[in-house]
Every structure is written in structure tokens, then in C-alpha cells.
Amino acid sequence: MGEAGSGRHQDEDADTVIGRDRLLAFGDAVFAIAITLLALDMTVPDGLSAAELVGALDKTLADVGAFLLSFVVIGVLWVNHHALFSRIARLDSWLLYLYLALLAMIAGLPFPTRLISEYGDTPLGTAVYASSIALAAALLTAMALRVHRRPALAAPGVSRESLRIPVIEGAVMVAVFATSIPLTLVSPVVAQLWWLLAIPLRRRLARG
């Protein structure tokens, strides 16, 4: 009985292993490195003539577009995860594992970004990118849902209603990117335009 109680205590108090603030600082570093790696993908070959440089810059526009898209997505996830952590007083093992999985997805986002830059006109390239973002958003939403269901993890004074907001915002982002995956079979461009729905839907549902 004592051992079982000890196991439950360890499960609920992962904060004693690694502090909330230290984990958040680690996460900030991962987000920053991921964005830096996105920028490093924007290059042109060396030794080009003036005429060749014009063509190379034209081809780089796809890289710039992919960078801006992923920069916005990573930025939204970064802001949302800070907003969630502002509502969290302590961690349990579930929050810790979900957060580490989220950081793994963020660290790997340069790959699907490169994929959509090179193959954004294909259903597979667009679907892989949408799947990556949907999974990252799902992990963050799962963290928010965990805190919503375990109010003891929340910071003092944080209401259940306040904890519901990040769950709704995250669910909208997951739904938009997940439902765009079958749309890639119709048109990759249509699927990519579908992602824009996340902006008005999140605002409207959060207010509701």
C-alpha cells in the first residue's frame, strides 16, 4: 500500500525531478533552435552569375514561403505553450512526457517544412506537413486537457473556465490541419488555403 502510494506521488510530482521553470527554459531553447534551422534552409548556390542569381532567387521564393509558414505556426505554438504554462503550478509525469513529445515534434519541423518547400504542389508533401502540425497541436492540446481534468496542477486562482480556453484553441488547430489531409487528394493548394481557417475559428470559439 505504501509502495503504491509512493508511485502515485511520484507520478503526480514530476516537478520535483525537473522544475517547471527549468523545463520551460529548455522548451524555449528547442523552439528557438527549430526556427533557426528553418532560416538556414534558405540558401542559393555559390559562384552564380548575375543572370543565374535572378533565377536562383526566384526558386528561393518557395523556401521563403515555407519558412514564413512554419515560423508563424511555431510562433503560435510557442505563444500557446507559454499561455498554458502560465496556468500550471506544477508538473506530473503525464505533462512531462507530453511536453517532451511536443518538443520532439517542434525540433523535427524543419524536415516537413523542407518537404513542403520542395514538394508543396504534391498531395504527399502537403499531407506530411499537415500531419506534423496536427500532431504537434494535439500534444499541446493533450497537455491543456490534462490540466483541465486535474485542477490540482493549475496555478492558484486559475478557474476551470480559463483552463478550457487552451483546450478549445488547440482542438481547433488540430481539426483544421487534420481535415486538410484528405483535401490534399483534391488539391494541395486547396488544402493549404484551408489552414487559414484556424485563425477565425480559434477566435470565435474561444470567445464563445
Side-chain angles (χ1 to χ4, degrees):
M1 182 73 176
E3 290 181 359
S6 175
R8 286 194 299 270
H9 180 75
Q10 290 175 0
D11 179 68
E12 294 177 356
D13 289 319
D15 200 62
T16 61
V17 178
I18 178 168
R20 168 191 169 280
D21 293 339
R22 182 178 298 178
L23 188 64
L24 189 58
F26 173 65
D28 285 343
V30 172
F31 274 87
I33 291 172
I35 288 177
T36 301
L37 291 177
L38 293 178
L40 293 178
D41 277 339
M42 295 185 295
T43 60
V44 294
D46 296 330
L48 298 178
S49 65
E52 292 172 331
L53 179 59
V54 173
L57 289 175
D58 184 58
K59 292 180 180 179
T60 306
L61 289 178
D63 294 338
V64 174
F67 164 77
L68 292 175
L69 172 62
S70 288
F71 183 90
V72 170
V73 170
I74 291 177
V76 169
L77 291 171
W78 178 76
V79 170
N80 286 353
H81 105 283
H82 264 275
L84 176 60
F85 266 83
S86 70
R87 296 175 169 93
I88 296 175
R90 63 187 183 86
L91 305 168
D92 67 357
S93 59
W94 277 102
L95 282 178
L96 178 61
Y97 297 146
L98 287 170
Y99 189 51
L100 290 177
L102 170 64
L103 295 183
M105 288 300 305
I106 296 300
L109 277 183
F111 171 71
T113 300
R114 188 65 185 173
L115 200 61
I116 199 171
S117 172
E118 297 288 342
Y119 303 102
D121 57 344
T122 66
L124 182 58
T126 304
V128 170
Y129 186 86
S131 300
S132 300
I133 303 304
L135 181 55
L139 289 167
L140 187 58
T141 304
M143 290 179 63
L145 189 60
R146 176 67 176 175
V147 181
H148 183 265
R149 291 184 173 180
R150 297 292 301 276
L153 300 174
V158 175
S159 65
R160 289 292 298 274
E161 184 67 21
S162 175
L163 293 172
R164 192 172 66 91
I165 294 174
V167 175
I168 294 174
E169 292 179 341
V172 168
M173 197 166 180
V174 173
V176 169
F177 279 89
T179 54
S180 74
I181 296 174
L183 290 178
T184 61
L185 299 176
V186 178
S187 168
V189 174
V190 170
Q192 292 164 22
L193 291 175
W194 184 262
W195 300 339
L196 297 176
L197 285 176
I199 300 173
L201 282 177
R202 283 182 52 184
R203 291 179 178 175
R204 182 171 182 178
L205 290 179
R207 289 173 181 171

